[in-house]
Amino acid sequence: ALPPWTKPRPDEETFEILVEGLTELGRHGADVGACVLLEPLNRYEDFQVNTLADALRLVEAVGMANVGIMPDTFHMGIEETDIPAALRAVGPHILHIQVADNTRLEPGHGSYDWPSTLTVLDEIGYEGWLAMECGLSGPAEDVLPTVPPLLRRR
């Protein structure tokens, strides 16, 4: 089905189901030494968890250190009105980050504000990976070398 979504149940019931499922996954993850990453998706792909605040509410309800948030810059560019503030609000719960420009191509091939995002990640002390989840605007050997200098953190 395409948006607008027809929600299958009330929001609070969906919330309870997600907390139950994330808790079960978190327990299993803890048993095997793995993390569970919750990635908010934009409204055109999902209706349940669209913003970092949505994810934070769930992660806090679960209350397990191995259940965290995986921001994706492409989705944030659609859903967040203030990306730096949204990242600051969830900072301690970020376990991994996916990056793509607003065009869904490699960073630097769109209009996403990389400096403000990278500044906030430094401010909140995020030291994890930035993993590209995107298409490429040209041959990999031509476009990929442009990304590390853009994303290099101080």
Side-chain angles (χ1 to χ4, degrees):
L2 296 174
W5 306 106
T6 301
K7 295 182 179 184
R9 65 190 71 79
D11 288 344
E12 281 308 307
E13 189 177 333
T14 295
F15 178 81
E16 291 170 14
I17 290 168
L18 289 172
V19 168
E20 181 181 328
L22 287 168
T23 300
E24 183 177 338
L25 289 169
R27 286 185 187 130
H28 178 71
D31 289 344
V32 299
C35 293
V36 176
L37 303 173
L38 182 58
E39 176 185 2
L41 301 176
N42 71 73
R43 72 191 89 166
Y44 306 110
E45 297 181 39
D46 186 54
F47 64 89
Q48 299 173 359
V49 183
N50 302 123
T51 66
L52 295 180
D54 294 338
L56 180 62
R57 184 171 173 239
L58 286 161
V59 166
E60 287 181 335
V62 170
M64 300 175 73
N66 70 319
V67 178
I69 299 171
M70 180 172 63
D72 182 310
T73 59
F74 173 74
H75 298 294
M76 288 189 307
I78 295 170
E79 295 299 331
E80 303 295 349
T81 57
D82 185 338
I83 291 171
L87 287 167
R88 279 187 198 95
V90 302
H93 299 283
I94 296 174
L95 299 182
H96 186 70
I97 298 175
Q98 291 182 333
V99 297
D101 221 301
N102 68 299
T103 57
R104 197 52 148 172
L105 296 172
E106 76 274 1
H109 201 79
S111 60
Y112 187 86
D113 182 2
W114 295 105
S116 70
T117 294
L118 296 171
T119 296
V120 170
L121 295 180
D122 284 342
E123 288 173 4
I124 64 174
Y126 178 74
E127 296 182 357
W129 293 96
L130 302 178
M132 289 175 46
E133 183 192 32
C134 59
L136 299 178
S137 63
E141 60 272 11
D142 294 337
V143 300
L144 290 180
T146 68
V147 176
L150 174 71
L151 298 181
R152 188 158 286 123
R153 293 163 51 202
R154 299 168 184 84

